[in-house]
Amino acid sequence: MDYTIKNRINDILTAHISFPNGSVNKQYKALLDLEKWNMADITLLEWNGLEEIGLVYNEGNNTIEGIPTESGDHKIKLVFSVADSPKQVKVINLIINPDPRSMWKDLPSDVKDPYWKQDDVHTAGPLYGKHAIAASKRGRSHKNTGAFRDDHFELALNIKNNWSVVAVADGAGSSPFSRQGARIACEETIRFFQQYFEENREQELEEIAASDREKINLVAGQHMYQAIKHVYEQINAEAEKHAAANPALFNDKRKSILEYYHTTLIFVAFKKFDFGYLILSFGVGDCPIVLLHHDEAQLLNQLDVGEFGGGTRFITQPEIFHSKEIPVTSRFKVTIQPDFSYLFLMTDGIYDPKFEVVYNLQNAAHWQQFMQDLDGNNEEKVKIDFKGDCREAARSLFDWMDFWSPGNHDDRTMVIIY
């Protein structure tokens, strides 16, 4: 073999070539830039070691591409020749990182715990003129340690005279019994309104809504105030009872017993009338309620984040009832809407990765993108068919909640009325 060719082959064999790192289950594509590598004079014969890890050489566009299936530091062999020389083999390292999703554990929660509840739930049901679907999924960070699902929701559809109530709560991760606080918050909201409608106390509300749009805000606020006071008192009663029976569990003297049950709470009570939908809404914390009609999005509660509060508030904080900074009356809202396309209630496990900031909750373009996401334009290709059976839609919503978002691994809960 010519001495010049031998030297050239040696240069190629010792030259440093690096491919960009890939990740398991994530599309990979690397351009083979022979000129950049000073290898434009070689005859590329074949690649060995690609197919075993899910990759192929695409001669048409001179790329290595595919979806890697095996993590590790792989030795890829480039078979080439120079000026009709015998076959030569150059070994190139290709690092494929593991799929971060595979590194999370899925440990069950303790079913013997007195405050145990299901790790994951979903449900659906019809209501007057529309449907409701709901799902709540334990976050990856909770699954990884066998912790409980702190989120909770409850639905009461067509309670009486076609009224419906939806409650959603997110227990504080730093509070040991927040999961129970969230459960009580939702259950007692429903229980209050069930009694409320059984006693026909809504008749005054309905009469005023039809005749006096200004007075309805005051009257509805008074009724909703009674609801949240009831919720607060029921959580407090449970806290006192549990602390009396298990004092060793409440050993942090810096905390009141209610702080062990900290939870957010949002709810809506709504009914369709001749003049449209009457929607009563309340919120404390960082979980949004959004009414979507065609391309218009309306936020139905004030979020305790950023400029609105500097941090999350909880229904278990006595100060929310007499705060001068954020009057409790500002937390109640009455909305009269001729019709709506969707009504969303969600916890921050959905809000944070999908909307990020409050502004996006009222941004039409962002909602268009979110609805496309629900329609299957997502990495997992999970589609929620709002035109099909609502039970199947609820199951799809549950599956959709498995979406991957780096750094966002909290519980996820969402209720959709449509």
Side-chain angles (χ1 to χ4, degrees), residues 260-274:
Y260 284 77
Y261 290 78
H262 269 346
T263 180
T264 67
L265 174 65
I266 54 176
F267 69 72
V268 292
F270 60 98
K271 177 181 175 180
K272 184 178 182 180
F273 294 88
D274 291 340

Side-chain angles (χ1 to χ4, degrees), residues 17 35-36 40 42 55 70 91 272 279 284 317 324 352:
I17 295 175
E35 289 190 7
K36 180 181 178 181
I42 74 169
L55 300 177
E70 298 289 336
V91 178
K272 184 178 182 180
I279 305 171
V284 58
Q317 291 177 313
K324 293 182 180 179
D352 283 344

Side-chain angles (χ1 to χ4, degrees), residues 6 51 119 133-135 159 187 207 212 214 232 244 353 357 372 381 391 395 414:
K6 285 184 177 181
E51 292 187 1
D119 293 336
I133 59 175
I159 298 177
E187 289 179 347
E207 292 172 1
D212 192 336
E214 294 184 4
Y232 173 86
V357 295
Q372 290 173 353
K381 305 302 179 186
R391 291 168 297 181
R395 178 69 205 189
M414 186 156 66

